[in-house]
Amino acid sequence: MPFSTLSHSQIRVVLSYMFHQENGSLEASTLPAISLSFWRKDPHNWEVIEPLPSYGRGTEIPGGRYQSLINGHNLHDVVITGNNGTIDGMGLVWWEWFSSHSLNYSRPHLVELVASNYVVVSNLSFLNAPAYTIHPVYCSNVNIQNISISAPPESPYTVGIVPDSSDGVCIEDCIISMGYDAIALKSGWDEYGIAYGRPTKNVHIRRVYLRASSGSTLAFGSDMSGGISNVLVEHLNLHNSLSGIEFRTTRGRGGYIKEIVISDVKMENVYTAFAAIGHCGSHPDDKFDPNALPLLDHITMVDVIGRNITIAGSFYGIPESPFTNICLSNITLSINPVPSSSWDCSNVSGFSHSVLPMPCPDLLKPLNSSSSSCSPLLRINGETAVL
């Protein structure tokens, strides 16, 4: 059931949005606060749409997927905003259906825009999404700013913002607290993402407060077959989470995660500060190519302070495609309780300088002028940023 077909009696939203007039122009309108009781109906009555071509099937269940509450396709100059209003997805019923295996299709998202350009989402609070909260996919020039997103810690696999095969994305001044991941960058799944071939790139994330109860506050992958590159992240505040910053991939995924710079991070009460995992995630079907090995290269993390951390880092690369150029600098983590070893590494290589506790030997190559790859030039929204 597309958003445009819903009547005022069916949806509880305070929302300013752009809609097409008959002459093709866009005009702003505002909906009053109204009820979301339609979510509680039998899911079999909810509209089912085709899977995204870069995934080949629903991400949770083979086949189609339920239509997202607020959605658009091939739009230009889209604004979703409000005077600090609230959009409540009332996801409890969807979480119950998911947990009881009562769904025939993958859960809907709260907001999904597909193949759209110049998108702004601002000055709103989003609550209780059925799955993802904001999902721009195949989009360009997306600005998400000054919003808050939350779902209960026990909500299954709820995610805040998911830039997916999109470029020119800016996420800033946001507060996000989710059951699984807070922010997750993606770009398609196995052979479908490789064939579609659209990466997530030119992303700037700054001044965000993130919490992820059972996932990661900032995740890359594991669906990254189209590639993820040229990402600048700065001024992160991470707290009360299972994982801080995590890179995920596996054999058969293909693609790459490269040219990532993360700086000025404060984390507290985080179980694992950093992770890079080469055996994460499942496959959509048995058609994937096991020889499609992902690349993880040129990852820089600098100026990080962590308190009450249990594990400093877990880096497990793929023997046939090790993780390379992992660069760590000016990182101080307070580990509690003090373990015999706070870092676990295999099939990785990189550089480090002024890191406590001392990282694993694979990452102990000195950070000096010979390791210039640790300071890549990034172009974010047309501007050059250098660490």
Side-chain angles (χ1 to χ4, degrees):
M1 185 181 298
F3 175 78
S4 59
T5 68
L6 299 178
S7 71
H8 285 184
S9 63
Q10 292 176 305
I11 182 169
R12 180 180 179 271
V13 169
V14 180
L15 174 66
S16 175
Y17 71 104
M18 308 298 289
F19 68 93
H20 285 276
Q21 295 181 300
E22 291 183 0
N23 62 7
S25 65
L26 292 167
E27 181 174 311
S29 182
T30 301
L31 293 180
I34 36 192
S35 168
L36 260 177
S37 59
F38 66 95
W39 282 106
R40 299 186 178 278
K41 294 180 180 179
D42 188 326
H44 300 300
N45 294 327
W46 192 251
E47 183 174 350
V48 176
I49 59 175
E50 292 295 316
L52 292 165
S54 58
Y55 287 82
R57 47 157 282 187
T59 55
E60 297 171 333
I61 300 172
R65 57 203 186 99
Y66 290 111
Q67 176 71 282
S68 297
L69 171 64
I70 301 169
N71 63 85
H73 191 278
N74 283 329
L75 301 181
H76 186 81
D77 291 328
V78 180
V79 179
I80 301 174
T81 189
N83 187 20
N84 297 318
T86 298
I87 299 176
D88 189 341
M90 298 181 70
L92 178 60
V93 65
W94 292 97
W95 307 333
E96 291 175 345
W97 286 328
F98 174 82
S99 298
S100 63
H101 306 286
S102 300
L103 295 172
N104 292 328
Y105 303 96
S106 296
R107 287 175 294 173
H109 307 312
L110 191 49
V111 178
E112 182 177 78
L113 297 173
V114 180
S116 297
N117 194 15
Y118 293 103
V119 174
V120 175
V121 182
S122 67
N123 302 309
L124 284 166
S125 293
F126 295 88
L127 307 177
N128 305 318
Y132 299 169
T133 305
I134 300 175
H135 186 214
V137 56
Y138 318 143
C139 289
S140 297
N141 304 304
V142 178
N143 193 350
I144 301 173
Q145 61 183 10
N146 194 32
I147 65 169
S148 67
I149 302 175
S150 65
E154 66 275 9
S155 57
Y157 296 100
T158 54
V159 186
I161 302 174
V162 185
D164 196 342
S165 293
S166 294
D167 62 274
V169 178
C170 180
I171 301 170
E172 59 186 351
D173 302 310
C174 297
I175 301 172
I176 306 173
S177 177
M178 303 303 296
Y180 192 57
D181 293 337
I183 297 175
L185 281 66
K186 299 180 178 293
S187 66
W189 199 4
D190 284 8
E191 70 271 19
Y192 303 103
I194 294 171
Y196 196 82
R198 175 156 181 171
T200 286
K201 62 181 181 178
N202 303 328
V203 178
H204 195 178
I205 300 170
R206 59 186 175 185
R207 299 188 303 273
V208 292
Y209 292 78
L210 308 179
R211 176 180 179 177
S213 296
S214 63
S216 180
T217 54
L218 177 61
F220 296 78
S222 68
D223 308 328
M224 38 64 69
S225 300
I228 300 171
S229 68
N230 211 42
V231 179
L232 175 63
V233 183
E234 54 187 345
H235 304 297
L236 289 179
N237 288 270
L238 319 178
H239 64 98
N240 300 341
S241 299
L242 179 63
S243 176
I245 298 165
E246 189 164 288
F247 303 89
R248 306 166 178 159
T249 188
T250 193
R251 290 180 179 85
R253 197 70 88 227
Y256 53 81
I257 303 174
K258 63 181 183 178
E259 297 173 7
I260 313 296
V261 176
I262 300 171
S263 69
D264 298 301
V265 180
K266 295 180 180 178
M267 59 176 73
E268 185 170 6
N269 301 330
V270 174
Y271 187 82
T272 301
F274 308 111
I277 307 169
H279 52 83
C280 182
S282 60
H283 301 288
D285 50 42
D286 59 3
K287 299 177 183 178
F288 73 94
D289 178 5
N291 296 316
L293 298 175
L295 171 74
L296 193 146
D297 184 54
H298 291 97
I299 309 296
T300 297
M301 292 180 281
V302 61
D303 296 335
V304 180
I305 297 175
R307 297 176 53 192
N308 195 24
I309 309 299
T310 303
I311 297 174
S314 295
F315 293 84
Y316 297 104
I318 300 171
E320 302 89 342
S321 182
F323 299 161
T324 53
N325 290 306
I326 308 295
C327 305
L328 309 173
S329 178
N330 195 24
I331 295 173
T332 302
L333 304 175
S334 174
I335 306 298
N336 184 31
V338 178
S340 58
S341 175
S342 56
W343 294 81
D344 292 313
C345 301
S346 64
N347 300 303
V348 299
S349 63
F351 309 86
S352 62
H353 172 73
S354 188
V355 177
L356 292 174
M358 184 178 295
C360 48
D362 297 324
L363 301 175
L364 279 178
K365 188 175 180 180
L367 185 63
N368 52 39
S369 58
S370 66
S371 55
S372 58
S373 61
C374 290
S375 299
L377 288 172
L378 298 180
R379 294 197 59 81
I380 305 296
N381 295 329
E383 299 182 358
T384 300
V386 62
L387 185 63

